[in-house]
Short mmCIF file of all heavy atoms in Angstrom, two decimals:
data_model
loop_
_atom_site.label_atom_id
_atom_site.label_comp_id
_atom_site.label_asym_id
_atom_site.label_seq_id
_atom_site.Cartn_x
_atom_site.Cartn_y
_atom_site.Cartn_z
N ARG A 22 1.01 13.95 -16.81
CA ARG A 22 1.69 13.80 -18.10
C ARG A 22 3.12 14.32 -17.94
O ARG A 22 3.37 15.31 -17.26
CB ARG A 22 1.01 14.63 -19.19
CG ARG A 22 -0.36 14.12 -19.57
CD ARG A 22 -0.98 14.93 -20.67
NE ARG A 22 -1.25 16.29 -20.17
CZ ARG A 22 -1.29 17.38 -20.92
NH1 ARG A 22 -1.08 17.29 -22.21
NH2 ARG A 22 -1.53 18.55 -20.39
N THR A 23 4.05 13.64 -18.61
CA THR A 23 5.43 14.13 -18.64
C THR A 23 5.49 15.26 -19.66
O THR A 23 4.54 15.51 -20.40
CB THR A 23 6.40 13.01 -19.05
OG1 THR A 23 6.07 12.57 -20.36
CG2 THR A 23 6.35 11.85 -18.07
N LEU A 24 6.63 15.93 -19.74
CA LEU A 24 6.76 17.06 -20.66
C LEU A 24 6.66 16.64 -22.13
O LEU A 24 6.35 17.46 -22.98
CB LEU A 24 8.08 17.80 -20.41
CG LEU A 24 8.14 18.49 -19.04
CD1 LEU A 24 9.49 19.15 -18.84
CD2 LEU A 24 7.03 19.50 -18.87
N ASP A 25 6.87 15.34 -22.41
CA ASP A 25 6.66 14.86 -23.78
C ASP A 25 5.29 14.19 -23.94
O ASP A 25 5.07 13.39 -24.82
CB ASP A 25 7.80 13.95 -24.23
CG ASP A 25 7.91 12.69 -23.41
OD1 ASP A 25 7.25 12.58 -22.35
OD2 ASP A 25 8.66 11.79 -23.82
N HIS A 26 4.36 14.54 -23.04
CA HIS A 26 2.94 14.16 -23.09
C HIS A 26 2.66 12.68 -22.84
O HIS A 26 1.59 12.20 -23.16
CB HIS A 26 2.30 14.59 -24.42
CG HIS A 26 2.34 16.07 -24.62
ND1 HIS A 26 1.37 16.90 -24.16
CD2 HIS A 26 3.27 16.86 -25.22
CE1 HIS A 26 1.67 18.15 -24.47
NE2 HIS A 26 2.83 18.16 -25.11
N GLN A 27 3.61 11.96 -22.25
CA GLN A 27 3.38 10.56 -21.90
C GLN A 27 2.64 10.49 -20.57
O GLN A 27 2.93 11.25 -19.65
CB GLN A 27 4.71 9.81 -21.79
CG GLN A 27 5.50 9.78 -23.08
CD GLN A 27 4.77 9.04 -24.17
OE1 GLN A 27 4.25 7.94 -23.96
NE2 GLN A 27 4.69 9.65 -25.33
N PRO A 28 1.70 9.56 -20.43
CA PRO A 28 0.99 9.43 -19.15
C PRO A 28 1.93 8.84 -18.09
O PRO A 28 2.77 8.00 -18.39
CB PRO A 28 -0.14 8.45 -19.47
CG PRO A 28 0.35 7.67 -20.63
CD PRO A 28 1.22 8.60 -21.43
N ILE A 29 1.78 9.33 -16.85
CA ILE A 29 2.59 8.80 -15.77
C ILE A 29 1.83 8.90 -14.45
O ILE A 29 1.06 9.83 -14.24
CB ILE A 29 3.95 9.54 -15.66
CG1 ILE A 29 4.86 8.80 -14.69
CG2 ILE A 29 3.78 10.98 -15.26
CD1 ILE A 29 6.31 8.98 -14.94
N GLU A 30 2.05 7.90 -13.63
CA GLU A 30 1.52 7.91 -12.27
C GLU A 30 2.68 7.60 -11.33
O GLU A 30 3.62 6.88 -11.69
CB GLU A 30 0.39 6.89 -12.12
CG GLU A 30 -0.79 7.28 -13.00
CD GLU A 30 -2.02 6.44 -12.81
OE1 GLU A 30 -2.00 5.46 -12.04
OE2 GLU A 30 -3.03 6.78 -13.45
N ILE A 31 2.63 8.17 -10.13
CA ILE A 31 3.74 8.06 -9.18
C ILE A 31 3.21 7.53 -7.86
O ILE A 31 2.24 8.06 -7.31
CB ILE A 31 4.39 9.44 -8.97
CG1 ILE A 31 4.90 9.98 -10.31
CG2 ILE A 31 5.51 9.36 -7.94
CD1 ILE A 31 5.34 11.42 -10.26
N GLY A 32 3.87 6.50 -7.35
CA GLY A 32 3.54 5.96 -6.04
C GLY A 32 4.58 6.40 -5.03
O GLY A 32 5.78 6.32 -5.29
N ILE A 33 4.13 6.86 -3.87
CA ILE A 33 5.04 7.36 -2.84
C ILE A 33 4.81 6.59 -1.55
O ILE A 33 3.67 6.42 -1.10
CB ILE A 33 4.82 8.87 -2.61
CG1 ILE A 33 5.12 9.62 -3.91
CG2 ILE A 33 5.66 9.38 -1.45
CD1 ILE A 33 4.84 11.08 -3.88
N GLU A 34 5.93 6.10 -0.96
CA GLU A 34 5.91 5.41 0.32
C GLU A 34 6.95 6.03 1.23
O GLU A 34 8.09 6.26 0.79
CB GLU A 34 6.27 3.93 0.15
CG GLU A 34 5.19 3.09 -0.48
CD GLU A 34 5.64 1.65 -0.56
OE1 GLU A 34 6.31 1.29 -1.53
OE2 GLU A 34 5.31 0.90 0.38
N SER A 35 6.60 6.31 2.44
CA SER A 35 7.52 6.87 3.44
C SER A 35 8.25 8.10 2.92
O SER A 35 9.44 8.27 3.16
CB SER A 35 8.53 5.80 3.87
OG SER A 35 7.87 4.69 4.42
N GLY A 36 7.55 8.94 2.16
CA GLY A 36 8.12 10.19 1.68
C GLY A 36 9.05 10.06 0.48
O GLY A 36 9.67 11.03 0.07
N LYS A 37 9.15 8.85 -0.10
CA LYS A 37 10.03 8.63 -1.25
C LYS A 37 9.27 8.02 -2.41
O LYS A 37 8.34 7.24 -2.22
CB LYS A 37 11.17 7.69 -0.86
CG LYS A 37 12.07 8.26 0.20
CD LYS A 37 13.18 7.31 0.51
CE LYS A 37 14.06 7.91 1.60
NZ LYS A 37 15.16 7.02 1.95
N ILE A 38 9.67 8.39 -3.63
CA ILE A 38 9.07 7.79 -4.82
C ILE A 38 9.44 6.31 -4.86
O ILE A 38 10.62 5.96 -4.80
CB ILE A 38 9.55 8.50 -6.10
CG1 ILE A 38 9.04 9.94 -6.13
CG2 ILE A 38 9.08 7.73 -7.34
CD1 ILE A 38 9.61 10.78 -7.25
N SER A 39 8.44 5.46 -4.93
CA SER A 39 8.71 4.02 -4.96
C SER A 39 8.18 3.35 -6.22
O SER A 39 8.46 2.19 -6.45
CB SER A 39 8.12 3.34 -3.72
OG SER A 39 6.74 3.57 -3.64
N ALA A 40 7.43 4.10 -7.04
CA ALA A 40 6.93 3.53 -8.30
C ALA A 40 6.66 4.64 -9.30
O ALA A 40 6.15 5.70 -8.94
CB ALA A 40 5.66 2.73 -8.05
N LEU A 41 7.03 4.38 -10.55
CA LEU A 41 6.70 5.24 -11.69
C LEU A 41 6.16 4.33 -12.77
O LEU A 41 6.81 3.35 -13.13
CB LEU A 41 7.95 5.95 -12.23
CG LEU A 41 8.60 7.00 -11.36
CD1 LEU A 41 9.93 7.42 -11.96
CD2 LEU A 41 7.70 8.20 -11.22
N SER A 42 4.98 4.65 -13.27
CA SER A 42 4.36 3.80 -14.27
C SER A 42 3.30 4.58 -15.03
O SER A 42 2.81 5.60 -14.55
CB SER A 42 3.72 2.59 -13.58
OG SER A 42 3.11 1.73 -14.51
N ALA A 43 2.93 4.10 -16.19
CA ALA A 43 1.83 4.71 -16.93
C ALA A 43 0.52 4.54 -16.17
O ALA A 43 -0.38 5.38 -16.26
CB ALA A 43 1.72 4.11 -18.32
N GLU A 44 0.40 3.45 -15.40
CA GLU A 44 -0.79 3.22 -14.58
C GLU A 44 -0.41 2.39 -13.37
O GLU A 44 0.18 1.33 -13.51
CB GLU A 44 -1.87 2.50 -15.38
CG GLU A 44 -3.15 2.31 -14.62
CD GLU A 44 -4.24 1.63 -15.43
OE1 GLU A 44 -3.94 1.07 -16.49
OE2 GLU A 44 -5.38 1.69 -14.99
N ILE A 45 -0.75 2.88 -12.20
CA ILE A 45 -0.51 2.14 -10.96
C ILE A 45 -1.85 1.63 -10.46
O ILE A 45 -2.77 2.41 -10.23
CB ILE A 45 0.16 3.02 -9.90
CG1 ILE A 45 1.56 3.44 -10.37
CG2 ILE A 45 0.24 2.27 -8.56
CD1 ILE A 45 2.26 4.40 -9.43
N ILE A 46 -1.94 0.31 -10.31
CA ILE A 46 -3.15 -0.30 -9.77
C ILE A 46 -2.78 -0.86 -8.40
O ILE A 46 -2.20 -1.93 -8.30
CB ILE A 46 -3.69 -1.40 -10.70
CG1 ILE A 46 -4.00 -0.81 -12.06
CG2 ILE A 46 -4.91 -2.06 -10.09
CD1 ILE A 46 -4.37 -1.82 -13.12
N ALA A 47 -3.07 -0.10 -7.37
CA ALA A 47 -2.73 -0.49 -6.01
C ALA A 47 -3.54 0.36 -5.04
O ALA A 47 -4.11 1.38 -5.42
CB ALA A 47 -1.24 -0.29 -5.76
N GLU A 48 -3.55 -0.05 -3.80
CA GLU A 48 -4.22 0.72 -2.76
C GLU A 48 -3.31 1.84 -2.28
O GLU A 48 -2.08 1.73 -2.34
CB GLU A 48 -4.60 -0.18 -1.59
CG GLU A 48 -5.67 -1.19 -1.95
CD GLU A 48 -6.10 -1.99 -0.74
OE1 GLU A 48 -5.92 -1.51 0.40
OE2 GLU A 48 -6.63 -3.09 -0.94
N SER A 49 -3.93 2.91 -1.81
CA SER A 49 -3.19 4.06 -1.31
C SER A 49 -4.00 4.75 -0.22
O SER A 49 -5.22 4.77 -0.28
CB SER A 49 -2.91 5.04 -2.46
OG SER A 49 -2.25 6.17 -1.98
N ARG A 50 -3.29 5.33 0.73
CA ARG A 50 -3.98 6.09 1.78
C ARG A 50 -4.60 7.36 1.21
O ARG A 50 -5.62 7.84 1.67
CB ARG A 50 -2.99 6.45 2.89
CG ARG A 50 -2.58 5.28 3.72
CD ARG A 50 -1.60 5.68 4.83
NE ARG A 50 -1.29 4.58 5.69
CZ ARG A 50 -0.43 3.61 5.41
NH1 ARG A 50 0.19 3.60 4.25
NH2 ARG A 50 -0.20 2.64 6.27
N GLU A 51 -3.94 7.93 0.19
CA GLU A 51 -4.42 9.16 -0.42
C GLU A 51 -4.14 9.11 -1.91
O GLU A 51 -3.13 8.57 -2.35
CB GLU A 51 -3.69 10.35 0.20
CG GLU A 51 -4.19 11.69 -0.24
CD GLU A 51 -3.49 12.83 0.49
OE1 GLU A 51 -2.70 12.59 1.41
OE2 GLU A 51 -3.75 13.98 0.10
N ILE A 52 -5.04 9.68 -2.71
CA ILE A 52 -4.86 9.77 -4.16
C ILE A 52 -5.00 11.22 -4.56
O ILE A 52 -5.94 11.90 -4.16
CB ILE A 52 -5.89 8.90 -4.91
CG1 ILE A 52 -5.64 7.43 -4.61
CG2 ILE A 52 -5.82 9.17 -6.41
CD1 ILE A 52 -6.64 6.49 -5.21
N PHE A 53 -4.03 11.70 -5.33
CA PHE A 53 -4.06 13.06 -5.86
C PHE A 53 -4.21 12.96 -7.37
O PHE A 53 -3.35 12.42 -8.05
CB PHE A 53 -2.77 13.80 -5.50
CG PHE A 53 -2.74 15.21 -6.02
CD1 PHE A 53 -3.49 16.20 -5.42
CD2 PHE A 53 -1.97 15.54 -7.12
CE1 PHE A 53 -3.48 17.50 -5.91
CE2 PHE A 53 -1.94 16.83 -7.60
CZ PHE A 53 -2.70 17.81 -7.01
N ASP A 54 -5.33 13.43 -7.90
CA ASP A 54 -5.61 13.39 -9.34
C ASP A 54 -5.18 14.72 -9.96
O ASP A 54 -5.76 15.76 -9.68
CB ASP A 54 -7.09 13.15 -9.57
CG ASP A 54 -7.43 12.92 -11.03
OD1 ASP A 54 -6.55 13.12 -11.91
OD2 ASP A 54 -8.57 12.54 -11.30
N THR A 55 -4.16 14.67 -10.82
CA THR A 55 -3.65 15.89 -11.44
C THR A 55 -4.52 16.34 -12.61
O THR A 55 -4.32 17.44 -13.13
CB THR A 55 -2.22 15.71 -11.96
OG1 THR A 55 -2.23 14.76 -13.02
CG2 THR A 55 -1.29 15.28 -10.85
N LYS A 56 -5.45 15.50 -13.05
CA LYS A 56 -6.38 15.82 -14.14
C LYS A 56 -5.65 16.25 -15.41
O LYS A 56 -6.02 17.19 -16.07
CB LYS A 56 -7.37 16.88 -13.69
CG LYS A 56 -8.20 16.42 -12.51
CD LYS A 56 -9.16 17.48 -12.04
CE LYS A 56 -9.89 16.93 -10.83
NZ LYS A 56 -10.66 17.93 -10.15
N GLY A 57 -4.54 15.53 -15.72
CA GLY A 57 -3.83 15.77 -16.97
C GLY A 57 -2.77 16.84 -16.93
O GLY A 57 -2.19 17.19 -17.95
N GLN A 58 -2.47 17.38 -15.75
CA GLN A 58 -1.44 18.41 -15.66
C GLN A 58 -0.06 17.79 -15.90
O GLN A 58 0.14 16.60 -15.74
CB GLN A 58 -1.48 19.09 -14.30
CG GLN A 58 -2.72 19.90 -14.08
CD GLN A 58 -2.72 20.57 -12.72
OE1 GLN A 58 -2.01 20.19 -11.82
NE2 GLN A 58 -3.55 21.59 -12.60
N PHE A 59 0.90 18.64 -16.27
CA PHE A 59 2.27 18.20 -16.47
C PHE A 59 2.94 17.99 -15.11
O PHE A 59 2.66 18.72 -14.17
CB PHE A 59 3.07 19.23 -17.27
CG PHE A 59 2.66 19.29 -18.71
CD1 PHE A 59 1.88 20.34 -19.16
CD2 PHE A 59 3.04 18.31 -19.60
CE1 PHE A 59 1.48 20.41 -20.48
CE2 PHE A 59 2.65 18.36 -20.92
CZ PHE A 59 1.87 19.42 -21.37
N ILE A 60 3.85 17.03 -15.08
CA ILE A 60 4.62 16.77 -13.86
C ILE A 60 6.08 16.58 -14.24
O ILE A 60 6.39 16.01 -15.27
CB ILE A 60 4.04 15.55 -13.12
CG1 ILE A 60 4.62 15.44 -11.72
CG2 ILE A 60 4.27 14.26 -13.89
CD1 ILE A 60 3.83 14.54 -10.82
N SER A 61 6.95 17.12 -13.42
CA SER A 61 8.39 17.01 -13.63
C SER A 61 9.06 17.06 -12.27
O SER A 61 8.42 17.43 -11.28
CB SER A 61 8.87 18.18 -14.51
OG SER A 61 10.25 18.09 -14.73
N ALA A 62 10.32 16.70 -12.22
CA ALA A 62 11.03 16.73 -10.93
C ALA A 62 10.91 18.12 -10.32
O ALA A 62 11.29 19.11 -10.93
CB ALA A 62 12.48 16.37 -11.15
N GLY A 63 10.30 18.20 -9.15
CA GLY A 63 10.21 19.47 -8.44
C GLY A 63 8.93 20.25 -8.62
O GLY A 63 8.67 21.17 -7.87
N TRP A 64 8.11 19.92 -9.61
CA TRP A 64 6.89 20.72 -9.80
C TRP A 64 5.79 19.98 -10.55
O TRP A 64 6.04 19.05 -11.27
CB TRP A 64 7.19 22.05 -10.49
CG TRP A 64 7.90 21.95 -11.80
CD1 TRP A 64 9.25 21.93 -11.99
CD2 TRP A 64 7.33 21.85 -13.10
NE1 TRP A 64 9.55 21.82 -13.32
CE2 TRP A 64 8.39 21.78 -14.03
CE3 TRP A 64 6.03 21.80 -13.58
CZ2 TRP A 64 8.19 21.67 -15.40
CZ3 TRP A 64 5.83 21.70 -14.96
CH2 TRP A 64 6.90 21.63 -15.84
#
Side-chain angles (χ1 to χ4, degrees):
R22 291 182 295 152
T23 62
L24 294 177
D25 63 349
H26 299 272
Q27 298 297 312
I29 190 153
E30 296 187 356
I31 301 170
I33 299 175
E34 287 182 274
S35 301
K37 296 181 181 180
I38 294 173
S39 58
L41 292 171
S42 180
E44 183 178 14
I45 296 176
I46 300 173
E48 292 185 23
S49 177
R50 288 180 176 79
E51 186 176 354
I52 294 176
F53 180 75
D54 187 351
T55 66
K56 299 178 183 170
Q58 293 180 341
F59 289 104
I60 192 164
S61 180
W64 55 272

